[in-house]
Amino acid sequence: MLEPQHAVVPWLLGGDGTRIRSHGVLMVDVDLRQMPRVDKLRFVLQDLAAIPEKLFVVHNLSRSMVAQAHALGATSIISRPKEAVLKVAEIEAAEAAAADSAAAPALDLDEGVAAFASMFSNVRLGKPVKVADAKRATSKIISRVGKEGLSTWLDEVRRYHEGTFQHCLLVTGIAVGFALDIGFSGADVSRLGLAATLHDIGKARIPLAILDKPGRLDPEEEQIIRRHPEIGYDLLKGVAGITPEILDGVRHHHEYLDGSGYPDGLKAAEISDLVRLLTISDIFAALIESRPYRPPMPRPDAYQILCGMEGKLEGSLVKAFRNVALGPK
């Protein structure tokens, strides 16, 4: 109901909740008639006191259970899980109304994310890619990175987004930062940015159980996810407004100069400059993003890994990427 517009982190009572963060909306659907569960929940909520919105599902709205929910800290109560969509929208609207002018710089982040969400949602539902959404997301990210710098973008994306969403936003921001740093024209920044925005669109057709699995993929799952460049290429092929170079970036961002990449095993001269830039941005983003099973890698460490990929990545571009990778001193 809530994905992909929102990053949803499930947690079974009594399970591992290490992925829960202290922001957003906490939705609780627990049988409050069972005191052992209530006691467990009370203990859990002590660690989640900083989450401002606590949405409890109380089936049939039993008066005693509503009272129990309020006693546990509920800020909102609904009777069925599917009502959460409307309630979350109401919470977001209230937060937006309460935001003052100091929050204005975050608008580009929010609007870029909204455009990403719309694009991925359409594809997941079997609808065609809306190029306008991709261009709008790219434009907002270019604006934000240009105004606030790449480091601010990376920090905010990692703070508020998870999984594939986080990765796509990071890659686009990094690619845009790279293009700006090496003095690309506005048209070339937009071109690389759009390729980055769309590079993983094929993942919208990969099952979420594989896509956001909180651990290593098994060989069969790995084979499924390695199909995403071809899926993305097929989704975009023939779409008005998608140029051959964008298709090239979507299909070939996992290719290496030595021919060891996929899906086509391209070598050196067969790999375009746009793809070489995009591949560096993609690898760096994967290293520094937050994962459920590991913290983000420090940027200097991630850059050293890129430097160690001699023969796979364009050495001169990796050197040119140094300022982007290491950030302001």
Side-chain angles (χ1 to χ4, degrees):
M1 293 182 294
L2 295 167
E3 292 176 320
Q5 289 86 347
H6 304 278
V8 178
V9 182
W11 181 4
L12 290 176
L13 192 61
D16 178 15
T18 55
R19 295 179 64 201
I20 302 295
R21 300 186 177 188
S22 58
H23 61 264
V25 177
L26 178 68
M27 181 173 168
V28 179
D29 188 0
V30 173
D31 188 346
L32 300 180
R33 295 170 298 182
Q34 299 189 32
M35 288 313 297
R37 294 188 182 182
V38 172
D39 290 339
K40 280 185 180 179
L41 181 58
R42 186 176 288 112
F43 179 76
V44 166
L45 290 173
Q46 291 175 1
D47 292 331
L48 301 176
I51 298 180
E53 296 289 345
K54 298 179 177 66
L55 176 58
F56 277 61
V57 182
V58 178
H59 298 272
N60 300 320
L61 295 179
S62 161
R63 183 177 299 177
S64 61
M65 294 302 99
V66 168
Q68 178 71 277
H70 282 302
L72 289 167
T75 56
S76 299
I77 291 175
I78 57 178
S79 61
R80 293 175 296 175
K82 68 180 183 180
E83 294 172 18
V85 175
L86 179 59
K87 182 57 67 173
V88 168
E90 290 175 357
I91 291 170
E92 288 181 327
E95 288 176 346
D100 57 24
S101 59
L107 287 176
D108 288 326
L109 173 64
D110 295 339
E111 292 181 22
V113 170
F116 254 106
S118 175
M119 183 176 68
F120 267 79
S121 178
N122 280 332
V123 174
R124 197 174 294 284
L125 294 172
K127 299 178 182 178
V129 174
K130 288 187 177 180
V131 178
D133 285 337
K135 289 184 175 179
R136 187 167 76 254
T138 305
S139 174
K140 295 300 179 183
I141 294 169
I142 291 172
S143 173
R144 188 67 192 280
V145 173
K147 290 176 187 174
E148 304 290 324
L150 179 61
S151 294
T152 298
W153 174 261
L154 299 182
D155 289 343
E156 293 196 9
V157 169
R158 288 185 296 198
R159 186 178 301 125
Y160 294 114
H161 300 281
E162 296 180 327
T164 301
F165 240 41
Q166 179 191 134
H167 177 72
C168 290
L169 292 165
L170 290 177
V171 173
T172 304
I174 291 165
V176 165
F178 195 2
L180 291 171
D181 188 72
I182 58 181
F184 273 20
S185 68
D188 287 338
V189 173
S190 296
R191 189 176 296 115
L192 178 61
L194 183 59
T197 295
L198 291 166
H199 85 287
D200 269 352
I201 191 66
K203 287 183 177 178
R205 292 285 175 86
I206 302 293
L208 288 172
I210 295 176
L211 200 57
D212 291 331
K213 182 179 179 179
R216 289 191 175 278
L217 301 177
D218 62 36
E220 184 177 344
E221 292 168 333
E222 183 70 32
Q223 284 301 115
I224 292 172
I225 207 162
R226 281 169 67 102
R227 292 185 54 237
H228 77 268
E230 296 170 273
I231 294 171
Y233 176 84
D234 289 339
L235 284 170
L236 296 172
K237 188 172 55 178
V239 174
I242 299 297
T243 63
E245 58 194 348
I246 300 299
L247 287 173
D248 184 31
V250 170
R251 186 177 180 95
H252 295 132
H253 61 276
H254 285 291
E255 301 284 2
Y256 292 137
L257 299 180
D258 63 2
S260 63
Y262 65 90
D264 298 319
L266 300 185
K267 291 185 178 180
E270 299 172 302
I271 301 175
S272 69
D273 289 341
L274 180 144
V275 169
R276 297 179 193 211
L277 289 160
L278 183 55
T279 300
I280 290 170
S281 302
D282 186 39
I283 295 170
F284 188 73
L287 293 171
I288 67 167
E289 68 189 61
S290 301
R291 296 285 180 89
Y293 49 89
R294 66 158 173 80
M297 183 180 291
R299 287 165 69 173
D301 294 351
Y303 181 63
Q304 285 306 309
I305 289 178
L306 292 179
C307 292
M309 296 180 70
E310 187 176 354
K312 292 182 178 293
L313 304 176
E314 179 71 50
S316 61
L317 289 178
V318 172
K319 288 180 182 177
F321 187 67
R322 186 177 188 277
N323 290 338
V324 180
L326 301 184
K329 296 181 181 178

